[in-house]
Amino acid sequence: MKLVGMIKDRFKSISHTWIRFPIVFVLLFIMAVYASISIETNSDQSAKIYALILGVFLSTAMTFGFEKRSNSLVWLAFSQAAAVGLAAAYYFLVLGSYTGSVVDVLRIVILSFALLFVSLWVPCLRWKTDFNDFFMTFFKAFFTTAFFIAIFWGGISLVLSAVDQLLFKLHETLFGHVAVWIWVFIAPMLFLSLIPVFGGTQEDKAKQEHLARIPGFFKVLLSYILIPLTALYTLVLLAYLVKTFVGGDPGDLLRPLILAYCIVVIVLYVLVSNVDNKVSQLFRMIFPKLMVLIALYQVVNLIIKIPGEGIVYGRYFVILFGIFSIAAGILMSLLPLKKNVILAIVLTGFALVSVTPPVDAFTISTNSQLGILDRVLTSNSMIKDGSVVPNKDLSEKDRGIITVAMQYLYDVKETDRVPGVSAKFELYNDFEKTFGFSPYYDAVYVDQPVTSFYYILDASKPVEINSYEYMMTVQAGNYDKKNRDEVVASVTDQGKTYNAAIVVKGDQIDIQLRDDSGSTILTASVNALVDSISQNAAVNQKEQLSPELMTFDVAGTGASMRIIFQNASKDESTSNTSYNATMLLLIKIG
């Protein structure tokens, strides 16, 4: 009976949520309809769905800002009309020219994120509610919703699977429709039903206090598991930080580590603000200051790289969040815990700055890549009469810079800003005829310089085998960086067995031919052969090479080998070099 009562209370709470957030309910319903249409017809409804997502967050923020005012119906109508109007304006003015660019998606994500934080701090300022309590309520509501909805969705999916397997076949899109309506329509309403009403009755205030209460097990989890784990993570991070001062950070591994670290410290700081024990006190005293130092390193390290490598939106966001982390660490060190709401307000401001022209991530990063591209093209005399002049004689570095810049501009749909390049530019079809070389030739990434080569044998041309007696296909690579000595093929000649082995030691790959006593009678370096192919390819400006350029003869004691590369690749960065190849081995004994 207790379970039945809980279910009744939850349905009652959800029904009240529909009354409290009527426009959110309507917008979620329409969003689910469009998502189902997209599944059923395989049509792109992304622009409409993005506008509806923005409308949901706008409507929610407006509700928190204007509910429980005098003349509440007037304020409700006014605020919700404003939310719907702003979402509609965004759809027609911004998404009207939707092209599927990642920029459109990121703008919606960031705006929704900013509005979410507005929904967190507006009630705190308006009703003098403790931000730490409300954040705990929000945190618990999120995970409670995820837990119950995951079980509900999993159960429904299992029942449908059983029907599909045991009784009769269901339509293949049914599972997609079920997921959409559960996660898009039901889940948000359940989540909002767990958010208390502020400024309401005594019952509402009691519910607010109950939802903000920290469960005992969660206090233990925070104090004696999550904080110690964060401390260990900090020690590893500081040790790696010291290591990079000595040897550099060629893999750029610190960026995701520091980003995750700052997020964890800030969230944990707010969650333990109302936990009063020695562990949480030490955490609040020490870790904000450590975060400032670590985030400062991140920001300085990335800013130093901008003059040479430019900036892309990913780097912009990391720098901006690093600056916020520095500001947050200082605020956490100076302000009392009751003022944590300022962190949410500051973060909202940073989020809005990142999508507000002309200082937004996309404008600045696009201008940065255009500037770098223009510098390289101009220095190589590739701009003439407002158009790009192809040039196949560029250095590998300049090819890489042009490739990366055009890849970025292509991703953000800004290629028409390059002189003489149209908006219909297709990277993989038009790049070579525009710039004079293939975009695959030198893939140098802005965040981690990596030179990549890939060559393939021209199968339309014959391969000479001469008097070689045995043929086998082998594959060799050192991507996993594991040392090994592996026999890959064996031949028997005049009663004696000869083994072909691939030997990997560090970056070095060798092919060895051994006699029946195990002695090596022939050795060929795969690295040296692939490097030779690379040099020949650089001269011929091709990736598909003739058999003459992919064939090598190696002589040994009482045996000879012809190595014909079917394909070969090389990935070279400042930290390591990886080789991979598939080869035909022709062997002659005697």
Side-chain angles (χ1 to χ4, degrees):
M1 292 299 293
K2 186 177 180 180
L3 178 62
V4 174
M6 290 176 60
I7 294 174
K8 287 182 178 179
D9 289 342
R10 183 51 47 212
F11 275 107
K12 180 181 177 181
S13 181
I14 291 176
S15 65
H16 288 167
T17 302
W18 292 343
I19 298 172
R20 187 184 179 193
F21 299 94
I23 301 302
V24 172
F25 170 77
V26 173
L27 293 176
L28 289 173
F29 181 85
I30 297 172
M31 192 190 309
V33 169
Y34 274 120
S36 288
I37 292 173
S38 179
I39 291 172
E40 197 64 35
T41 63
N42 201 26
S43 58
D44 187 5
Q45 305 292 332
S46 299
K48 298 182 181 68
I49 292 174
Y50 292 152
L52 288 167
I53 291 172
L54 184 63
V56 166
F57 281 96
L58 279 167
S59 178
T60 304
M62 290 289 188
T63 298
F64 284 125
F66 292 98
E67 69 178 345
K68 296 298 179 181
R69 289 183 179 271
S70 57
N71 299 320
S72 57
L73 288 177
V74 175
W75 281 109
L76 174 67
F78 171 78
S79 62
Q80 298 305 308
V84 173
L86 288 171
Y90 191 88
Y91 174 73
F92 288 108
L93 298 178
V94 179
L95 295 175
S97 56
Y98 176 74
T99 58
S101 168
V102 67
V103 173
D104 294 317
V105 179
L106 284 175
R107 278 204 182 102
I108 289 294
V109 170
I110 295 167
L111 285 172
S112 300
F113 179 80
L115 289 167
L116 175 64
F117 271 85
V118 169
S119 300
L120 281 173
W121 57 258
V122 162
C124 298
L125 296 183
R126 186 179 167 201
W127 301 107
K128 308 301 181 185
T129 302
D130 184 10
F131 175 78
N132 303 315
D133 287 341
F134 188 40
F135 189 83
M136 178 59 69
T137 300
F138 178 89
F139 191 83
K140 289 167 61 180
F142 176 81
F143 283 100
T144 300
T145 300
F147 177 75
F148 282 104
I149 291 297
I151 292 176
F152 180 57
W153 173 60
I156 294 293
S157 298
L158 286 174
V159 171
L160 292 176
S161 296
V163 172
D164 183 62
Q165 295 292 326
L166 303 176
L167 300 179
F168 51 85
K169 286 294 180 182
L170 299 175
H171 196 280
E172 60 183 7
T173 62
L174 180 60
F175 292 90
H177 292 304
V178 169
V180 162
W181 284 91
I182 289 176
W183 288 102
V184 174
F185 183 68
I186 298 177
M189 300 311 297
L190 175 60
F191 172 79
L192 290 173
S193 73
L194 296 171
I195 303 300
V197 177
F198 297 93
T201 62
Q202 286 299 121
E203 182 181 352
D204 292 328
K205 292 179 181 177
K207 181 181 179 181
Q208 183 179 336
E209 293 175 0
H210 171 73
L211 292 173
R213 192 175 300 124
I214 306 176
F217 84 92
F218 194 51
K219 287 184 180 179
V220 173
L221 179 67
L222 289 171
S223 301
Y224 302 110
I225 297 178
L226 294 181
I227 288 178
L229 285 175
T230 304
L232 290 175
Y233 185 79
T234 304
L235 292 176
V236 174
L237 199 59
L238 290 174
Y240 188 73
L241 198 65
V242 172
K243 178 183 175 182
T244 61
F245 278 117
V246 178
D249 182 29
D252 208 15
L253 300 176
L254 268 178
R255 181 187 306 181
L257 293 175
I258 292 177
L259 187 64
Y261 177 77
C262 293
I263 294 172
V264 167
V265 169
I266 294 170
V267 172
L268 263 182
Y269 182 88
V270 177
L271 289 175
V272 302
S273 292
N274 289 333
V275 177
D276 191 17
N277 57 38
K278 289 294 184 182
V279 175
S280 62
Q281 289 172 3
L282 285 173
F283 177 84
R284 292 194 296 263
M285 180 175 65
I286 297 172
F287 279 78
K289 301 172 182 63
L290 289 175
M291 184 180 70
V292 170
L293 294 176
I294 293 172
L296 182 63
Y297 170 87
Q298 175 82 300
V299 171
V300 172
N301 187 43
L302 289 176
I303 290 177
I304 289 173
K305 296 179 179 180
I306 290 177
E309 300 176 357
I311 188 170
V312 293
Y313 58 78
R315 178 172 290 180
Y316 176 100
F317 286 125
V318 173
I319 292 174
L320 195 66
F321 188 80
I323 295 173
F324 165 74
S325 298
I326 295 170
I330 294 172
L331 291 173
M332 289 188 290
S333 300
L334 299 177
L335 297 178
L337 296 175
K338 295 292 183 182
K339 297 293 185 180
N340 280 345
V341 65
I342 295 176
L343 299 177
I345 297 173
V346 172
L347 183 57
T348 304
F350 273 85
L352 293 175
V353 165
S354 70
V355 291
T356 304
V359 294
D360 64 297
F362 314 109
T363 301
I364 287 180
S365 57
T366 298
N367 290 338
S368 172
Q369 293 303 306
L370 284 169
I372 288 178
L373 183 62
D374 179 72
R375 186 180 69 217
V376 174
L377 294 177
T378 301
S379 65
N380 288 281
S381 302
M382 292 179 66
I383 299 292
K384 185 177 181 180
D385 298 329
S387 297
V388 176
V389 179
N391 184 352
K392 65 179 182 179
D393 298 322
L394 296 181
S395 66
E396 292 182 5
K397 180 180 179 181
D398 287 346
R399 290 172 186 238
I401 293 173
I402 292 173
T403 298
V404 169
M406 287 304 298
Q407 176 72 64
Y408 176 83
L409 295 172
Y410 179 74
D411 290 341
V412 298
K413 310 299 182 185
E414 294 283 2
T415 54
D416 58 328
R417 295 182 61 182
V418 180
V421 177
S422 71
K424 296 181 179 179
F425 176 85
E426 290 292 333
L427 185 69
Y428 303 108
N429 296 329
D430 302 331
F431 189 97
E432 187 167 2
K433 66 182 179 183
T434 302
F435 296 98
F437 58 92
S438 168
Y440 308 104
Y441 181 84
D442 188 10
V444 181
Y445 298 94
V446 171
D447 296 331
Q448 180 183 357
V450 178
T451 304
S452 297
F453 304 96
Y454 180 78
Y455 311 102
I456 188 169
L457 177 69
D458 186 350
S460 66
K461 297 180 179 179
V463 175
E464 293 184 7
I465 61 174
N466 292 346
S467 59
Y468 287 90
E469 302 164 311
Y470 304 100
M471 182 175 71
M472 60 202 73
T473 301
V474 299
Q475 193 275 336
N478 63 347
Y479 282 116
D480 57 6
K481 300 303 176 188
K482 294 180 179 178
N483 293 341
R484 60 183 182 274
D485 186 335
E486 179 183 6
V487 174
V488 293
S490 299
V491 299
T492 301
D493 186 82
Q494 297 181 0
K496 294 182 179 180
T497 300
Y498 297 84
N499 296 317
I502 300 296
V503 181
V504 179
K505 291 184 179 179
D507 287 343
Q508 181 62 38
I509 309 173
D510 291 331
I511 300 174
Q512 294 183 357
L513 186 64
R514 300 165 182 166
D515 60 20
D516 54 358
S517 66
S519 300
T520 301
I521 59 176
L522 181 152
T523 299
S525 169
V526 174
N527 304 48
L529 299 181
V530 173
D531 288 340
S532 177
I533 292 173
S534 172
Q535 295 171 4
N536 292 330
V539 174
N540 291 271
Q541 300 296 320
K542 292 180 180 180
E543 292 174 358
Q544 189 177 58
L545 301 177
S546 66
E548 290 79 10
L549 298 178
M550 300 282 276
T551 300
F552 301 88
D553 291 329
V554 183
T557 304
S560 58
M561 179 186 298
R562 172 164 290 181
I563 303 173
I564 305 170
F565 284 84
Q566 293 178 301
N567 59 68
S569 65
K570 175 183 176 182
D571 295 326
E572 183 178 16
S573 70
T574 53
S575 58
N576 60 71
T577 302
S578 297
Y579 293 85
N580 192 57
T582 302
M583 300 158 282
L584 290 174
L585 301 186
L586 305 181
I587 297 175
K588 181 171 63 175
I589 306 299

